[in-house]
Amino acid sequence: MATKNVLDTVAKKFIQIGLPKDLFERNRFNLLVDRNKIIVRYPAPGVRSEVIETPTGVKTKVYVEPGTKLEEPVTLCFGAAETTEVQTTEGEIVVGEGADVKFQVYGAMAEGIKLKHKNKLKVRVEKNARFEFLDLHYNGEDTFVELDTETDAYIGENAYFRSVFKQTRGRAGKVRIVLKAQVDKKGVAVFETKMIGKKDDEIYVEDVIHLNGEESRGISKSRIIAVDETKATFVGETYGNAPRCRGHIDCSEVIRGKDVTVKAVPVVVVNDETAKVTHEAAIGSIDKKQLETLMARGLTEDEAVDVIVQGMLR
Amino acid sequence: MAPLLTVNDVKLTIDGRPILKGVNLVVNEGEIHAVLGPNGAGKSTLASLIMGINDLKEPDSGEIIFQDKLVNGLDITERAKLGITLAWQEPARFEGITVEEYLKLSGRNNPELDVVECLELVGLDCSYLNRFVDDTLSGGERKRVELASVLAMRPKLAVLDEPDSGIDFASMEDIANMIKTMRDRGTTVLMITHREEIAEIADRATLMCDGKVVQTGNPKDVGQKFKTMCVKCEVRNPELVGGE
């Protein structure tokens, strides 16, 4: 574990790029990793974990005991305060039967650094459990990250899993996000991705949901704001494989700039006559009526755009 | 009362079709002024020209003067900063913005802003503060929030485009009272409507038909003229009945 000086240095750099100060002041972290070093580790009640430092990052195994219900989120941070060639994180999370927990995970890449971040995560949400995974990314404006992250989730009978990937501060960099879920009987999977790309950022998001159990549900929602010369692609695939399952893909992408390229690819496959999967996709500039409404209240066009975009990314 | 807004001989043609054919209108400071007329009369186009929305920053000819300042060519923000605002017939929806945030944005230059009071004046309670201004609000709720946001801003002139649409009949009295409160707090109201019973809450009214002003005066007289003239006219000329 690190000394207070190391923690203070990391805190300063992460707060500079927008991480809430309160996280450090109130010692909110259950796990804080800088590159491949564990800086803070503090157990959460009902949560067993194993964290191993590797040459390029960390490997974690987390087991939430059945029936565990936590009011406060389990708070984790995987970041880099300095440039390093590559950071690799591998994780496995099992949420035991009937548990109800929320993980708040911060990705913090300090101002000016460059790195490749690779992440693989396996999630298993057991019967009647409820698990929310909020993955919040903070990058500096002069940071460049190549992020490659894959999540594979199994959602058991009557279980609920919500995964939110949010990058609202700084540059996105070159990003590939793949989220896959197998959903059992009456299970629910909700995937949300909210990102803003600037300059020559490249964003690729792929959500794949297999609704395998009767009456299972899946929602895949993306909100991508593409500015300057950003290239962004969203692929949403939902497979309705079981009786009375329901899926929906909701993709809305806003472009601001002449050299932006944005693509949305919804794939809807239904293998059962009682299953229903729908999709809606919209790509375009900021809605004119929204803009004019805020301008009629005295906001400038730039202020109005900012309000609308921040609302969409919330 | 001194004129706050003067529309002088305003003409506008869109896609070769004359929409406004020399409109003259004076809205006095401190009054509720109703612009009444059938669908297609040019009322909403006139409202758009006053606010500068829908790419209508200036007419083909004529002047729009607000407090002795020519507003032709000014953008929406500049007009709002002069003290003009507009509430849309069908207001925009905003993802991720709460009612409280929306009202605070609208009233950011109002030192006496009280968001709870603004909501109460439109018949909504404080539980709405945490609601989002998105599709989860019904049409009537969204409309009330829009009127609350005008109250929050406390402009010199509020252009209300069909403030009664989407509001159930039983709630019309609330809306009428809210518009009167707006006036009593120093906001002049220009209200666009095609219902003479709504126009009756105004201090003065103007009847528009086919891009022209037909009559300005007492709301009852103007309403009577509307009933006798425009209803017959719509029957004779169904092409006048349509979207604006």
Side-chain angles (χ1 to χ4, degrees), chain A residues 33 54 58-59 65 70 75 79 98 117 120 141 157 210 259:
Chain A
V33 173
T54 67
V58 287
K59 274 189 182 181
E65 306 272 7
L70 298 179
T75 305
H117 178 95
K120 277 201 172 182
E141 287 295 337
E157 188 179 330
H210 291 269
D259 300 313

Side-chain angles (χ1 to χ4, degrees), chain B residues 4-63:
Chain B
L4 183 74
L5 178 83
T6 306
V7 177
N8 268 341
D9 197 22
V10 161
K11 292 178 184 159
L12 183 75
T13 298
I14 297 174
D15 296 333
R17 188 175 153 228
I19 306 293
L20 301 177
K21 302 172 180 174
V23 172
N24 291 293
L25 175 74
V26 174
V27 179
N28 290 325
E29 198 169 344
E31 73 175 355
I32 299 172
H33 193 119
V35 174
L36 182 64
N39 289 334
K43 310 183 298 293
S44 289
T45 305
L46 178 63
S48 297
L49 266 175
I50 292 168
M51 192 71 240
I53 58 170
N54 296 325
D55 297 322
L56 295 177
K57 270 168 67 170
E58 54 190 329
D60 297 336
S61 64
E63 295 172 322

Side-chain angles (χ1 to χ4, degrees), chain A residues 13-207:
Chain A
K13 293 199 171 188
F14 289 176
I15 289 167
Q16 188 196 356
I17 53 164
L19 243 73
K21 218 175 180 177
D22 178 67
L23 291 171
F24 294 93
E25 287 176 351
R26 297 187 170 213
N27 300 320
R28 295 274 187 192
F29 290 111
N30 297 100
L31 177 67
L32 170 61
V33 173
D34 173 25
R35 289 160 289 171
N36 66 337
K37 295 282 173 235
I38 299 165
I39 309 290
V40 174
R41 195 168 165 209
Y42 191 78
V47 180
R48 280 192 280 132
S49 67
E50 190 180 293
V51 188
I52 304 164
E53 291 179 353
T54 67
T56 55
V58 287
K59 274 189 182 181
T60 54
K61 278 189 179 178
V62 178
Y63 181 66
V64 179
E65 306 272 7
T68 301
K69 293 189 194 303
L70 298 179
E71 295 273 321
E72 294 290 319
V74 174
T75 305
L76 315 171
C77 178
F78 299 94
E82 303 285 345
T83 291
T84 185
E85 195 183 337
V86 63
Q87 183 188 41
T88 313
T89 51
E90 273 183 66
E92 207 178 310
I93 302 171
V94 178
V95 181
E97 190 174 327
D100 184 350
V101 291
K102 185 193 270 187
F103 279 28
Q104 200 143 294
V105 184
Y106 292 88
M109 302 301 167
E111 191 61 73
I113 69 160
K114 287 181 174 52
L115 70 78
K116 286 182 185 172
H117 178 95
K118 289 185 182 176
N119 175 57
K120 277 201 172 182
L121 178 66
K122 278 192 173 176
V123 175
R124 189 173 174 88
V125 188
E126 301 286 10
K127 190 176 175 182
N128 296 326
R130 190 180 167 87
F131 181 41
E132 286 193 62
F133 187 85
L134 308 180
D135 195 1
L136 311 170
H137 285 249
Y138 292 76
N139 295 346
E141 287 295 337
D142 290 320
T143 300
F144 193 83
V145 179
E146 276 186 44
L147 172 68
D148 187 346
T149 176
E150 286 184 18
T151 301
D152 244 309
Y154 165 77
I155 294 111
E157 188 179 330
N158 202 35
Y160 173 92
F161 175 50
R162 177 173 176 241
S163 169
V164 179
F165 183 101
K166 235 193 237 194
Q167 177 268 319
T168 55
R169 295 286 289 264
R171 288 192 64 183
K174 192 172 175 186
V175 178
R176 178 178 170 272
I177 301 166
V178 178
L179 295 154
K180 292 180 181 169
Q182 305 283 336
V183 190
D184 218 328
K185 188 178 175 183
K186 292 191 176 178
V188 179
V190 179
F191 287 165
E192 294 176 30
T193 308
K194 300 185 174 191
M195 300 192 72
I196 180 161
K198 297 171 187 168
K199 298 180 185 169
D200 58 351
D201 288 344
E202 289 179 33
I203 297 169
Y204 176 84
V205 179
E206 184 181 322
D207 289 353

